[in-house]
Amino acid sequence: MTSPFRFDLHKTSGAARLSTFTTPHGPIRMPAFAPVGTLANVKTLEPRDLDELGCDLILANTYHLYLRPGHELIARMGGLHKFMAWHGPILTDSGGYQVFSLAHQRELDEDGVTFRSHIDGSRHRFTPERVMEIEQALGPDIAMVLDECPDPLSYDYNVAALARTHRWAERCKTAHTRPDQALFGIVQGGVFPDLRQTSAQFLGGLDFAGYAIGGLAVGETKEQMYATLDETCPAVPADKPRYLMGVGAPEDIIEAVRRGVDMFDCVLPTRVARNAALLTPDGRINLRNAQYAEDPRPVQEDCTCYTCRTFSRAYLRHLYKAGEISALRFGTIHNVHFLMELMRRIRAAIADDTLDDLRAEFLARYRLSNQAVRHDQRRRRRENLLNQTTK
Amino acid sequence: MTSPFRFDLHKTSGAARLSTFTTPHGPIRMPAFAPVGTLANVKTLEPRDLDELGCDLILANTYHLYLRPGHELIARMGGLHKFMAWHGPILTDSGGYQVFSLAHQRELDEDGVTFRSHIDGSRHRFTPERVMEIEQALGPDIAMVLDECPDPLSYDYNVAALARTHRWAERCKTAHTRPDQALFGIVQGGVFPDLRQTSAQFLGGLDFAGYAIGGLAVGETKEQMYATLDETCPAVPADKPRYLMGVGAPEDIIEAVRRGVDMFDCVLPTRVARNAALLTPDGRINLRNAQYAEDPRPVQEDCTCYTCRTFSRAYLRHLYKAGEISALRFGTIHNVHFLMELMRRIRAAIADDTLDDLRAEFLARYRLSNQAVRHDQRRRRRENLLNQTTK
């Protein structure tokens, strides 16, 4: 039987790659950005929105769905695609990151990790085999191996974690049997080039269907992240997709694509939309600001999304200020459209060998979000990881 | 200049009427139900949804929009239609009911009513002239006169309130000047036939573009409400639309149509949807119930709404239980569709002289909501009205 998966590399431009990853639920045009549907729903959106927005891939969170409504229930309802009525490609993470950042009283051992649910405190255990069972029950097109996500700045910790993560990767590979599901490995190693090299080579030898770069955007600087990508991308197999997990800031996506990354996911566009932060070519604007009270313009002048075709900033500000649920949806539609449009432009620029021009043009205009705030967010994520208990 | 408004009575069947009320923003097929868009947005829905659902008319609340974002801002932004991007007919209430049920420290006098905002405690005053100024600034197709909504069961209070409501109706008629806006009078008089007759005759003499029946569904029994409609409908001019304010329970709509009512509005379908209560031919079902956890059926088997075409009860229950915003939207889409479909069937039944059959068929299957709960809700609304202070 031929595999339903195929990675077609159409063109490179420098290290950037224009490609298509074909799955049982359709092709993913790469470089691709996946909006996050944590609980089997991209918050405030529905499948027809995702189609209209041109989303080829969405991510769902294994940790959350395992706890609620449960992977077995979803399997009995026909799997994730049927359950959520989204018939395009789906990727699930392994839940590892959530166990280390969201769950309570986590205890890590060689065999797996025990934790308490952040919802009701109930006790659970993830092992590589258990996570494969859960992801195969959920039934996404792409599943991720269980890994440990350590503080990226601690060398000693990363050495120990990496060895365990590699043993877990082997066990996941052995336990994974669904031929209609691609299993991706996750390269770890913090900000340390030698560890990343080791990890890329080890996982490359296991012949995964794709390779994620994990453990970034969790406490390191942007420069450290980009340098790590410079090391890692060339070290993983060139004939498989490369996936940078948890990254969604436009400037980071552009820089990562230039270094050879093919896939991204992030809650950024959906989460900030619910906080009235809308993405524009000039950077984020916050629609709660008084300056928009009587602004008749759309969020973004040339934008073709439903929100911009239909509503003024003044109206959207009114909805946000009044706490109307629709505001969250209208903001989300725009922000996801903004990222999808960025990905379309990136793919066109790789085809035309104009990615450097796109980068220069984009960054000249795009005002980066407050770096202090972002640094603080990353520091908090890192502290979460530092709290982890190892037996 | 000919008026842009026209009421065409196509057919009667018993006291029930099939008609069209034409407005500057299009025709309203009657009997009609208007979903409520309190703050210039039908909660969780957007204009394209309202089109798809077949909504001919929506209601917005003058009290709320006056407070936030302010009628003058909306006027500067081009009026309510342009502001909210809904280009079908809009009706605004007068804000009177909200002042008496929602605002704080209200003080009523002959000239108007002074109150404090429920949002920030700021002091405001509504008079008939002020409310006409606000509604004309908002710019709906249909505006309502300022009235007093008294406890429907107190005769003496209704006698005094009615006299004042009539003087206010005259002042509203004088103050109202927009030719592209229809002004409706509001018949009051509680559950007392003689007062309703007096009110209908007095307001009929003022030649309003339509006649609302106010002060019902606020503490009286269903039997008292139906009896009041029996008295009031024949007493208002037959060549104008009749509007029963605040009524949206399916069984009440059917009974009111049979007595000659042409228009309804209510928060019921949208509000209960946000509480996981979905309308079906068998009555309301609450999707939080465990019995739906693995129910693969749509909310309503034969329903053509997006929610029923797309999602299972099991999935919707998961979204409600997990607190996903999308659940509120999916529930709202179904409930509004349910009422729109009911209105379509009612109109067809009037055309075919089969309204009694529709009523029998509908009521045989539709399990009424818990009467004790509903009675309690109506009692609370009445207590709000009893708290009003008169100088």
Side-chain angles (χ1 to χ4, degrees), chain A residues 294-343:
Chain A
E294 302 197 18
D295 192 332
R297 293 174 297 171
V299 169
Q300 179 183 336
E301 289 284 6
D302 52 351
C303 179
T304 59
C305 82
Y306 176 72
T307 301
C308 288
R309 293 196 318 265
T310 313
F311 306 115
S312 66
R313 294 176 178 185
Y315 179 66
L316 295 170
R317 175 178 190 268
H318 159 64
L319 296 183
Y320 273 113
K321 292 285 286 183
E324 286 286 301
I325 293 166
S326 289
L328 314 182
R329 172 169 160 81
F330 299 155
T332 300
I333 287 173
H334 172 76
N335 278 0
V336 172
H337 178 91
F338 183 88
L339 273 185
M340 291 299 140
E341 188 61 27
L342 176 65
M343 301 319 292

Side-chain angles (χ1 to χ4, degrees), chain A residues 39-41 43-49 52 68-69 73 76-77 83-85 293-294 296 306 310-311 314-315 318-319 321-322 324-326 328-330, chain B residues 39-41 43-49 52 68-69 73 76-77 83-85 293-294 296 306 310-311 314-315 318-319 321-322 324-326 328-330:
Chain A
L39 281 155
N41 173 252
K43 289 188 196 304
T44 78
L45 300 186
E46 55 221 32
R48 60 182 173 181
D49 295 321
E52 183 178 330
R68 190 168 56 178
L73 185 147
R76 284 193 298 271
M77 301 308 296
F83 186 59
M84 69 183 292
E294 302 197 18
Y306 176 72
T310 313
F311 306 115
Y315 179 66
H318 159 64
L319 296 183
K321 292 285 286 183
E324 286 286 301
I325 293 166
S326 289
L328 314 182
R329 172 169 160 81
F330 299 155
Chain B
L39 281 155
N41 172 251
K43 290 188 196 305
T44 78
L45 301 186
E46 54 222 31
R48 59 183 174 180
D49 295 320
E52 183 178 332
R68 191 168 56 178
L73 185 149
R76 285 192 297 271
M77 301 308 296
F83 186 59
M84 68 182 294
E294 301 197 20
Y306 176 73
T310 312
F311 305 115
Y315 179 66
H318 159 64
L319 296 183
K321 292 284 286 183
E324 285 287 300
I325 293 167
S326 289
L328 314 183
R329 172 169 160 81
F330 300 155

Side-chain angles (χ1 to χ4, degrees), chain B residues 34-144:
Chain B
V36 175
T38 292
L39 281 155
N41 172 251
V42 179
K43 290 188 196 305
T44 78
L45 301 186
E46 54 222 31
R48 59 183 174 180
D49 295 320
L50 299 171
D51 281 332
E52 183 178 332
L53 290 163
C55 300
D56 286 351
L57 173 69
I58 64 161
L59 178 143
N61 289 118
T62 290
Y63 168 86
H64 291 84
L65 292 172
Y66 158 78
L67 290 177
R68 191 168 56 178
H71 60 292
E72 288 164 339
L73 185 149
I74 290 176
R76 285 192 297 271
M77 301 308 296
L80 205 41
H81 292 90
K82 187 171 178 197
F83 186 59
M84 68 182 294
W86 163 248
H87 301 295
I90 302 176
L91 178 151
T92 51
D93 62 6
S94 68
Y97 181 73
Q98 281 71 32
V99 167
F100 292 114
S101 61
L102 192 58
H104 302 152
Q105 293 185 17
R106 47 194 177 268
E107 289 178 13
L108 188 66
D109 57 57
E110 171 57 28
D111 185 53
V113 56
T114 302
F115 58 93
R116 288 189 181 278
S117 156
H118 71 290
I119 303 167
D120 62 6
S122 56
R123 206 173 153 82
H124 301 271
R125 184 164 171 79
F126 276 1
T127 63
E129 292 75 18
R130 178 66 167 155
V131 167
M132 289 301 97
E133 181 190 332
I134 296 168
E135 291 194 81
Q136 293 186 93
L138 292 172
D141 301 271
I142 303 172
M144 303 302 298

Side-chain angles (χ1 to χ4, degrees), chain B residues 353-362:
Chain B
D353 286 316
T354 56
L355 190 57
D356 283 347
D357 298 340
L358 170 60
R359 172 177 175 268
E361 189 192 328
F362 186 88

Side-chain angles (χ1 to χ4, degrees), chain A residues 78-267:
Chain A
L80 205 40
H81 292 91
K82 187 172 178 196
F83 186 59
M84 69 183 292
W86 164 247
H87 302 294
I90 302 175
L91 179 151
T92 51
D93 61 7
S94 68
Y97 181 74
Q98 281 71 33
V99 167
F100 292 113
S101 61
L102 191 58
H104 301 151
Q105 294 185 16
R106 47 195 176 267
E107 289 179 14
L108 187 65
D109 57 57
E110 172 57 29
D111 186 53
V113 56
T114 303
F115 58 94
R116 289 191 180 275
S117 157
H118 71 291
I119 301 168
D120 62 6
S122 56
R123 205 172 154 83
H124 302 270
R125 182 162 173 80
F126 275 0
T127 63
E129 291 75 19
R130 177 68 167 154
V131 166
M132 289 302 96
E133 179 191 333
I134 296 168
E135 291 194 80
Q136 292 186 93
L138 292 172
D141 301 272
I142 303 172
M144 303 302 300
V145 299
L146 181 65
D147 64 335
E148 183 179 351
C149 185
D151 169 14
L153 306 184
S154 160
Y155 188 83
D156 289 348
Y157 195 102
N158 271 278
V159 170
L162 196 57
R164 183 164 41 219
T165 282
H166 288 172
R167 289 189 292 270
W168 286 4
E170 285 185 301
R171 286 166 57 187
C172 285
K173 190 80 169 59
T174 303
H176 187 267
T177 54
R178 264 188 89 144
D180 61 343
Q181 185 174 78
L183 182 64
F184 280 24
I186 306 178
V187 176
Q188 288 284 357
V191 297
F192 308 104
D194 60 324
L195 299 186
R196 289 283 173 180
Q197 287 285 347
T198 303
S199 187
Q201 277 161 30
F202 179 86
L203 295 170
L206 294 180
D207 192 29
F208 285 103
Y211 291 88
I213 303 163
L216 291 178
V218 288
E220 82 289 0
T221 64
K222 274 179 188 292
E223 292 65 35
Q224 287 174 314
M225 179 169 86
Y226 301 155
T228 303
L229 294 177
D230 283 330
E231 292 291 336
T232 311
C233 285
V236 293
D239 59 346
K240 301 289 169 62
R242 300 171 190 153
Y243 166 28
L244 179 55
M245 304 182 79
V247 165
E251 67 277 15
D252 290 344
I253 288 175
I254 293 173
E255 293 299 342
V257 165
R258 291 178 69 234
R259 289 162 170 85
V261 173
D262 307 307
M263 296 168 62
F264 303 86
D265 81 280
C266 194
V267 296

